[in-house]
Amino acid sequence: MTAINKKLCINLLLQILIMIFFSGSASAWFTKTHLAVAKAAGYRNWYNAAAADIAKVKAGDMEKFNHYVNNHKGQVVTAEMILSQAEKYNDPNDRDGHLYGAIVASIRKYIDDKKEGRYPEDQMAYCVHYVGDLSMPLHNIEFNEFNKKYHMTMDGTIDREILDNYSKIEIKKISINSEDDLVREIAIIANISMQLGFRLVDENRMMTEEEAYRQVSYSASLLNAILEYVEKK
């Protein structure tokens, strides 16, 4: 390898490390985990579930802040908080993140596109990904030193096996008949995920496979209910 090629490789590696550790919004779950959540939920276009992460490569700040919320310890996610975040969808300046609002806003856009005769499935592809992100504990807490250190490893907790074992994802019945119902269910999962995230920090440990499957089951159950909800719109 020439000196120039070595320098290029070093520069590329540094760019990757900077993206991982300083972006404040690393991926939530790896691709296979997102795909498995979508398949378990019965999403017919399950292969689109990683599209929102792919979009971040070019969309940058416009997209990445839709994937997390930097909650501080003691924070309680409320309906008011979620609805206020919906107005920040795709906002490149809201660096604390607005994942919860992104779920609501992407569903609104899906419904609007459907009513106006446009192809709505692109909007749903984003929603599906955000719902998957919702159950990842480290995407519900501040991007502290623990989060920076373990985020990538935590994303892959069950990624190697889950797509071949997505039947292990438990679907619990959730009824969504209005946006108020949707917001309530988002808040429930967000608070559960945030509490687990801070517990992992306090105990200085990784998430177990059992905990990971339980978390993705929350996402898949909510997604299943969302798909039933929008079908009636």
Side-chain angles (χ1 to χ4, degrees):
M1 183 180 292
T2 66
I4 293 176
N5 286 338
K6 286 182 180 179
K7 186 175 181 179
L8 289 173
C9 289
I10 291 171
N11 286 338
L12 179 60
L13 178 60
L14 287 173
Q15 289 177 30
I16 292 171
L17 290 173
I18 289 170
M19 288 174 63
I20 291 171
F21 291 109
F22 296 103
S23 69
S25 59
S27 300
W29 305 126
F30 289 149
T31 296
K32 289 180 181 178
T33 304
H34 274 289
L35 297 181
V37 167
K39 288 189 76 170
Y43 179 45
R44 62 179 178 272
N45 296 328
W46 57 270
Y47 43 80
N48 285 334
D53 269 348
I54 296 171
K56 284 192 297 184
V57 175
K58 289 189 175 181
D61 287 357
M62 182 176 177
E63 177 57 32
K64 69 181 181 181
F65 302 129
N66 294 325
H67 293 241
Y68 69 93
V69 179
N70 281 334
N71 290 312
H72 299 293
K73 198 168 188 178
Q75 174 75 53
V76 176
V77 178
T78 65
E80 292 75 19
M81 175 184 178
I82 294 169
L83 290 172
S84 68
Q85 286 186 10
E87 305 305 317
K88 301 176 182 178
Y89 188 40
N90 295 330
D91 183 351
N93 299 308
D94 180 36
R95 294 182 176 272
D96 281 333
H98 38 262
L99 166 62
Y100 316 141
I103 297 172
V104 175
S106 58
I107 291 173
R108 288 175 179 174
K109 288 183 176 295
Y110 175 93
I111 293 171
D112 287 345
D113 282 2
K114 184 178 178 181
K115 288 180 178 178
E116 294 173 14
R118 296 194 295 268
Y119 184 70
E121 290 303 323
D122 290 341
Q123 306 293 351
M124 184 53 63
Y126 281 96
C127 176
V128 167
H129 187 91
Y130 302 147
V131 173
D133 284 352
L134 181 62
S135 64
M136 205 293 188
L138 299 189
H139 268 240
N140 291 271
I141 68 171
E142 58 195 342
F143 199 56
N144 53 26
E145 290 305 314
F146 178 91
N147 202 336
K148 293 175 185 178
K149 183 176 180 180
Y150 295 112
H151 198 119
M152 294 294 286
T153 305
M154 204 86 74
D155 281 341
T157 303
I158 50 178
D159 196 73
R160 181 175 297 179
E161 65 161 61
I162 192 170
L163 195 52
D164 293 326
N165 296 283
Y166 72 91
S167 60
K168 293 170 64 175
I169 300 175
E170 183 180 358
I171 303 296
K172 295 183 179 180
K173 182 62 178 176
I174 295 175
S175 295
I176 296 177
N177 297 300
S178 66
E179 188 172 275
D180 287 344
D181 291 342
L182 169 66
V183 169
R184 182 193 65 238
E185 297 299 332
I186 292 172
I188 290 171
I189 298 174
N191 283 307
I192 290 172
S193 301
M194 178 173 53
Q195 290 165 11
L196 175 57
F198 281 117
R199 186 160 66 249
L200 295 174
V201 174
D202 290 343
E203 296 173 4
N204 193 31
R205 67 174 178 86
M206 297 298 296
M207 181 167 40
T208 66
E209 288 191 5
E210 180 181 359
E211 288 170 329
Y213 270 104
R214 184 166 61 245
Q215 288 301 119
V216 296
S217 291
Y218 293 136
S219 283
S221 297
L222 177 59
L223 178 56
N224 178 261
I226 288 171
L227 294 171
E228 291 182 356
Y229 170 62
V230 298
E231 186 67 26
K232 296 179 285 188
K233 293 293 183 178

